Amino acid sequence: MSALSLLRPTALSALRLSARTTISTRAFHSTCLRRQPSDGGLNNILSGGNAPAVQVKTIAQNGIQLADGLLLTSSCIFLDGKVFLWNVPQTLWDGWTPEHFEIFEMVVPKPEILLFGTGDRVAMLPPTLRQHLTKAGVQVDVMNTRNACSTYNLLAEEGRRVAAALLPITPRKWEGAPTA
């Protein structure tokens, strides 16, 4: 059975016509994509793998809502597919110490990147804290919390080792936090 007999009649006649007008021909190869009628003709190249364990669905003034419905109303860290409540000072950078980032010193393997969401507006990390994280082997990217959540979802969906340290849009104290 020749390769030409596998072509549809219209493709076969077009190939014969082009073979008459040109001196050389090249092999023609096609594949049949089998799609479900319900998929709208689209092919998800990321399907087949498991969805990331933590995905942000929405972010609003009252907190960060995860895809599973959990609402996080205070600061949190997403690391290795898990969510950690994060007890940090309410005032940005006032009272912050390297101890607030201890978790990134202990985790193995280290995340490729730490997305730091600073609330409603971008506020650059103080040099001492940035140096501490760099020394621990963690690359930090600072942005507002909305962009940090979006970037986290994208990188986690790609299967990257990404972490996020997120401050809420409206600063709130963590309920039930131990007093220092």
Side-chain angles (χ1 to χ4, degrees):
M1 178 180 252
S2 75
L4 291 178
S5 64
L6 297 175
L7 296 175
R8 292 186 197 135
T10 55
L12 186 58
S13 63
L15 185 62
R16 286 185 185 141
L17 179 64
S18 67
R20 279 186 238 143
T21 58
T22 59
I23 296 174
S24 65
T25 61
R26 65 177 222 210
F28 178 76
H29 175 75
S30 81
T31 58
C32 177
L33 293 176
R34 295 177 189 215
R35 295 195 168 127
Q36 301 295 329
S38 62
D39 71 1
L42 300 175
N43 188 17
N44 183 357
I45 62 171
L46 299 174
S47 68
N50 295 333
V54 178
Q55 275 195 310
V56 176
K57 181 178 179 184
T58 60
I59 182 163
Q61 295 297 327
N62 64 338
I64 299 167
Q65 184 176 16
L66 302 182
D68 65 3
L70 180 66
L71 181 67
L72 304 167
T73 59
S74 60
S75 302
C76 58
I77 292 175
F78 300 164
L79 180 64
D80 197 27
K82 296 172 184 62
V83 177
F84 299 91
L85 295 179
W86 193 24
N87 190 14
V88 294
Q90 279 188 278
T91 309
L92 198 57
W93 312 139
D94 187 28
W96 287 65
T97 63
E99 287 77 33
H100 289 102
F101 299 94
E102 281 181 328
I103 192 168
F104 299 108
E105 295 172 21
M106 294 184 256
V107 68
V108 175
K110 302 264 190 249
E112 295 173 34
I113 188 167
L114 169 63
L115 304 170
F116 198 106
T118 58
D120 197 31
R121 294 201 166 101
V122 177
M124 296 314 292
L125 203 60
T128 55
L129 295 177
R130 185 177 282 279
Q131 288 169 358
H132 175 76
L133 287 165
T134 301
K135 188 185 275 186
V138 179
Q139 177 186 343
V140 182
D141 196 357
V142 179
M143 56 191 75
N144 68 35
T145 299
R146 290 182 200 283
N147 289 334
C149 289
S150 295
T151 306
Y152 175 84
N153 279 351
L154 179 72
L155 294 176
E157 185 74 31
E158 288 178 353
R160 305 267 304 270
R161 279 192 334 263
V162 61
L166 305 169
L167 304 179
I169 300 293
T170 304
R172 282 190 188 85
K173 183 128 178 86
W174 176 40
E175 294 178 24
T179 55

